[in-house]
Each structure stands twice: as structure tokens, then as C-alpha cells.
Amino acid sequence: MAAAGTGEGSTIDAAEVARFEALARDWWDVKGPMAVLHKFNPVRLGFVRDEACARFGRDPKRLRALEGLSVVDIGCGGGVLCEPLARLGAQVTGLDPAPTNIAVARAHAQESGLEIDYRQETIEAVVAGGARFDIVLAMEVVEHVADVEAFVGACCAAVKPDGLLVMATINRTLKSYALAIVGAEYVLRWLPRGTHDWAKFVTPQELEDAIGRRGLAIGSRTGVVFNPLTGGWSAARDMDVNYMLAAAPAR
């Protein structure tokens, strides 16, 4: 994650921004604090690509399957998801409230020869400026914002009438407390302690209801699970901990 942006009327949580700002230099260290995100990223990318191709009539097997589509990644962090989306041909905008995250993302994109529009800006401000996108992403962000309803509203408002919204977060269950907090932060130490607050986790029903109130319909949903034998992540029916969903305005 990173969060939404800074400024009056935003839904960011200043403490959350400071926490991720402190980790900013480690975004691209595949063996560092963000190692689990790099392993998780292919599942996120595959879901976004497949849902986008289904929505826009593209072939997901094409190397540049998202050619010409505008994408905004809210809470882009160091650009770990933005870069592969740009390689798929998308016109990517990355938003993040932490200045060091944006600086790291810009530097890495330049080194990689990728053109990505990184901004230290809120989704609320972007929407107020009139920008709309084919694909709006909020991946592992909603559990870090100060006002879920307002944040979801801003995300939905950023979607073009024929566009797509994809969100990923963590369910609020006893299982998620055991695995995402006790296991990930204290036992396995995948993440720094305090990265997540269980009370801020959002259930699928809560998220779907918030999206539905903004006029978008849920299309697909999937859980994401960790396999301790392979050390990898995969899509699954189990949504007790990590999950992703896609929604779109009615056509």
C-alpha cells in the first residue's frame, strides 16, 4: 500500500502515511520489508489484467493487452504494480501521499525506461479536477484510510462510465487477525509490527455495499491465499483474509 494523498478533504490517515514513508527506500528490495508484496504482486496483476480485458474486450495473452487504457493506482507506493501495468501498455498514473514513495517510484521508473505519471496527490483532488480513468485501482489501501465510505466514493467517482474499479484489502475475521497480524507481523515478521490495525479491516459485504451505494455493480471477487509449501500466493475461493473484487458502472 501507500494511501490516498494529502490535502483538505482527503481520507488519508497521517499516521499511516508516516508509517509507509519510513519504509519508502525498501520498496524495490525483493528481500526486504516489501518481499511479501513482490510475491503477492503477480496475483494482483493477473486479476487486474484479466478483469480489464474482459471489460474492454481485450486478449489477456497479448503482451500489451492494456494498450491505451488509462489507469490510476491509488496508494501506489514505490510503483510495484504501476510498472508491470505500464509494460502491458496502460497509461498509468500513480498517486501517493508520501513524498519519498513518489521520489522512489519516479527514480525506479526512469531507470526502467517507463513513462508513469507519479503524483503526490489525493484521489479526491484528482476527481475534483475532473480526471476520470478507464481503470481505477485501490489495492491494499482501504484498510489504511480514515473514512472508508468517503474513500470508496472518491474511487467510484474516478471511474469512467464504461470503466472498471478494482479493490483489494483484508477481511475482518478472527482468521485475518491470526494470519495477517499475529502471523505476518509478529511470528513470520513479513511486515513491521503495527502495519495493520484489525479494527480497520473491511469485510467483503461492507466494501460491496459501499461500492453499490455509488452505483457500481460487483462483477468478480476472489480470495488470495498463501501456500506455505511453495512460498507463493494464488487466487482462491477463500476470502477469509485477503480478497480482491472488481466492479463497474452499469452499461
Side-chain angles (χ1 to χ4, degrees):
M1 167 260 176
T6 57
E8 185 179 356
S10 74
T11 55
I12 67 165
D13 183 321
E16 296 280 6
V17 175
R19 184 174 295 113
F20 282 90
E21 175 82 351
L23 296 171
R25 299 294 181 185
D26 296 315
W27 277 106
W28 289 96
D29 182 356
V30 298
K31 295 183 179 180
M34 299 298 179
V36 67
L37 179 62
H38 285 274
K39 292 181 179 180
F40 191 81
N41 208 42
V43 183
R44 302 194 304 170
L45 179 64
F47 184 74
V48 172
R49 179 202 60 212
D50 292 349
E51 291 300 316
C53 286
R55 179 67 174 172
F56 297 102
R58 305 293 185 89
D59 180 357
K61 296 181 181 179
R62 286 183 52 205
L63 290 178
R64 294 180 66 83
L66 305 185
E67 188 80 54
L69 294 175
S70 60
V71 178
V72 63
D73 183 13
I74 304 164
C76 63
V80 173
L81 183 57
C82 289
E83 291 201 7
L85 289 169
R87 291 190 178 93
L88 286 173
Q91 299 168 356
V92 182
T93 298
L95 307 180
D96 200 282
T100 308
N101 284 350
I102 292 296
V104 168
R106 285 173 176 163
H108 198 274
Q110 186 174 20
E111 292 172 4
S112 303
L114 296 170
E115 292 187 11
I116 299 172
D117 180 14
Y118 287 114
R119 308 179 194 173
Q120 188 191 344
E121 196 170 1
T122 66
I123 187 58
E124 293 89 349
V126 170
V127 168
R132 300 294 184 270
F133 301 86
D134 294 312
I135 304 167
V136 175
L137 306 178
M139 313 299 280
E140 292 79 42
V141 178
V142 70
E143 70 271 23
H144 298 283
V145 302
D147 185 332
V148 171
E149 188 74 25
F151 176 71
V152 170
C155 293
C156 292
V159 180
K160 287 183 178 180
D162 62 346
L164 178 72
L165 171 67
V166 181
M167 303 187 79
T169 189
I170 305 175
N171 199 349
R172 191 175 63 256
T173 61
L174 291 177
K175 186 175 177 180
S176 71
Y177 183 83
L179 297 181
I181 294 182
V182 176
E185 296 182 17
Y186 289 84
V187 178
L188 298 174
R189 297 183 181 180
W190 283 346
L191 301 168
R193 293 181 181 182
T195 296
H196 292 113
D197 178 350
W198 183 81
K200 295 178 74 173
F201 289 174
V202 183
T203 70
Q205 192 61 60
E206 290 169 345
L207 189 55
E208 291 179 16
D209 287 347
I211 291 170
R213 284 191 287 272
R214 300 293 177 161
L216 275 67
I218 304 299
S220 300
R221 54 181 68 76
T222 185
V224 183
V225 297
F226 176 70
N227 185 331
L229 297 179
T230 65
W233 295 82
S234 61
R237 299 175 68 177
D238 182 354
M239 297 175 63
D240 288 347
V241 185
N242 296 88
Y243 68 94
M244 301 184 288
L245 57 80
R251 281 177 167 167

